[in-house]
Amino acid sequence: MKRRNFMGCAAAAAAGAPASVLAASSKPPVLMKAGTQHSDADEVLKVMAAFGVRHICSRLPSRALDERWSVEGLVRLRERVESYGIRLEMVPLPLSSLPIERVEMPNIMLGRSPERDREIDQICQMLRNVSRAGIPAVKYNLSILGVVRTEPTRGRGGARYSTFVYERAKQEPPLTAAGRVTEEMAWERITYFLERVVPVAEEYKVRLACHPHDPGMPKGKGFRGVERVLGSVEGLKKFLSIRESPYHGLNFCQGTVSEMLENPAREIFGVIRYFGERKKIFNVHFRNIRGKFLNFQETFPDDGDVDMLQALRVYRDVGYDGMIMPDHVPRIDGDADSRQAFAFAFGYIQALLQSL
């Protein structure tokens, strides 16, 4: 125990403090905060400010390198967000979770040169401008399939839970626009991107937060001809080792990582600890599931298999200081744009943070 904590415990003991107070005094501080990637529209920022959500990731400034990605455009975005008492912690790059046929910059994961070189050059310029505008981080995906799901299923109160069952997934058409993509091909394209982008992130001190593949697919079988190399814990470890840097890390979607596991209720805490202790978690999508690898539902945060309070304890213990944000939410009949479902998620996160 550190001397300061020891002296605090000793003073409390001398005053006859209960054991719970003594135990609490030795716990690490809670550095993380509620966040959102919901929107940066003025009407949404007003609601977030009222909820006490004071940290956000904005929506995508633009699909291409244009005026909204200029230093001046990004400064205007940051200052508008700050006018509501909210800090702009992160912006998305135009490398979203859309399928390759609709993603903003497809050639990076298609491995098509010289087109991918032009797209990477634009990404590097975006990073420079983000840094100059005073924004500390970006999030992105390196995906071909996008987010894959089967038919939704009914959950609590009849809400529709997003669901994936591999054996029921229709692999139609059998190949994407990328054709057949082996593990080796996927890693070559990812490595090509990282070797050019991470040095720029380091130079300009912008954290790169990559989202895992959602969901993982069985190794050797893949899905629609694509092997998903960022769909396993081992794959994420390899990804981070390609170009070691304090600015190269994860947009740690707890729901997606839980989907990789055979027993999420038991295994997820060790995964959080592994990446958290290495300071590779740059953002957290705080989502719960019921089920396991290749067969799961996305639930309300309090209705899944994972003890979400225990998960937050692990984030606290490893010193995570970023955002804890809702990601996907169940669909409720009559809940326009899932506003009430998101409000429930924000309240749940705030309550758990206060309980720590």
Side-chain angles (χ1 to χ4, degrees):
M1 185 182 296
K2 292 182 179 178
R3 184 175 184 276
R4 180 174 57 190
N5 290 340
F6 174 80
M7 295 302 292
C9 287
S20 60
V21 173
L22 297 179
S25 66
S26 64
K27 293 176 182 176
V30 178
L31 304 175
M32 55 198 153
K33 50 262 186 178
T36 183
Q37 57 185 3
H38 201 187
S39 170
D40 56 53
D42 289 339
E43 59 270 23
V44 172
L45 293 174
K46 291 177 182 177
V47 174
M48 293 301 105
F51 285 174
V53 177
R54 298 188 178 89
H55 305 265
I56 76 162
C57 173
S58 72
R59 58 190 165 188
L60 180 65
S62 177
R63 291 176 61 92
L65 182 60
D66 59 17
E67 191 278 333
R68 283 167 289 187
W69 276 107
S70 69
V71 176
E72 295 76 16
L74 292 167
V75 167
R76 283 195 297 272
L77 170 63
R78 177 177 59 76
E79 290 179 344
R80 183 170 59 81
V81 170
E82 289 175 348
S83 72
Y84 291 90
I86 297 172
R87 177 175 165 83
L88 181 57
E89 300 278 0
M90 180 177 285
V91 295
L93 293 173
L95 290 168
S96 69
S97 60
L98 292 170
I100 196 68
E101 294 82 2
R102 294 188 287 124
V103 76
E104 302 86 357
M105 293 186 171
N107 294 294
I108 291 170
M109 286 309 293
L110 288 173
R112 185 185 294 156
S113 293
E115 293 87 349
R116 66 174 168 179
D117 298 293
R118 289 194 290 268
E119 291 176 354
I120 290 172
D121 286 344
Q122 291 183 39
I123 293 292
C124 290
Q125 188 59 48
M126 291 172 183
L127 295 179
R128 297 182 188 102
N129 292 353
V130 163
S131 173
R132 291 163 178 155
I135 302 167
V138 297
K139 68 171 187 174
Y140 69 104
N141 294 259
L142 292 171
S143 179
I144 292 173
L145 295 170
V147 178
V148 182
R149 293 292 186 268
T150 49
E151 289 297 314
T153 52
R154 293 288 176 174
R156 190 170 66 193
R160 294 187 301 281
Y161 285 2
S162 179
T163 300
F164 180 71
V165 181
Y166 182 79
E167 297 302 329
R168 298 179 191 168
K170 297 178 181 178
Q171 303 199 37
E172 298 173 0
L175 296 176
T176 71
R180 192 164 301 281
V181 180
T182 65
E183 281 194 54
E184 292 76 15
M185 294 165 69
W187 283 122
E188 184 278 329
R189 296 168 191 182
I190 290 170
T191 301
Y192 191 93
F193 174 83
L194 294 178
E195 287 181 344
R196 286 154 181 79
V197 172
V198 173
V200 177
E202 284 185 331
E203 180 181 356
Y204 286 87
K205 296 180 171 52
V206 175
R207 289 182 295 169
L208 295 163
C210 185
H211 194 290
H213 288 159
D214 183 9
M217 298 294 179
K219 189 172 183 178
K221 293 175 68 175
F223 190 83
R224 295 181 64 198
V226 176
E227 291 283 345
R228 300 204 95 171
V229 297
L230 304 184
S232 69
V233 174
E234 290 307 311
L236 295 178
K237 291 178 181 178
K238 178 174 178 176
F239 172 74
L240 294 172
S241 72
I242 289 172
R243 184 83 191 209
E244 180 55 45
S245 168
Y247 295 94
H248 171 40
L250 299 174
N251 182 12
F252 190 85
C253 180
Q254 185 179 305
T256 300
V257 176
S258 295
E259 297 160 13
M260 302 173 183
L261 307 175
E262 287 296 328
N263 189 338
R266 187 182 72 237
E267 298 174 58
I268 188 62
F269 311 117
V271 180
I272 296 169
R273 189 172 299 281
Y274 177 89
F275 291 112
E277 287 178 343
R278 289 159 177 80
K279 306 304 178 187
K280 292 299 183 181
I281 299 178
F282 293 169
N283 187 51
V284 172
H285 288 173
F286 200 59
R287 174 164 65 81
N288 208 345
I289 70 162
R290 183 181 300 152
K292 62 176 186 174
F293 183 53
L294 303 182
N295 189 332
F296 62 84
Q297 296 173 300
E298 298 182 45
T299 69
F300 291 104
D302 63 324
D303 193 38
D305 292 339
V306 174
D307 182 337
M308 301 295 266
L309 177 57
Q310 180 58 27
L312 279 189
R313 289 191 183 108
V314 181
Y315 291 118
R316 176 200 63 194
D317 292 349
V318 297
Y320 173 65
D321 63 356
M323 293 184 285
I324 300 287
M325 60 172 59
D327 185 24
H328 311 158
V329 292
R331 300 283 183 175
I332 306 169
D333 293 340
D335 181 12
D337 299 322
S338 297
R339 292 175 184 172
Q340 294 182 76
F342 273 110
F344 178 89
F346 287 124
Y348 185 83
I349 289 170
Q350 293 284 49
L352 290 192
L353 289 172
Q354 288 187 13
S355 76
L356 292 183

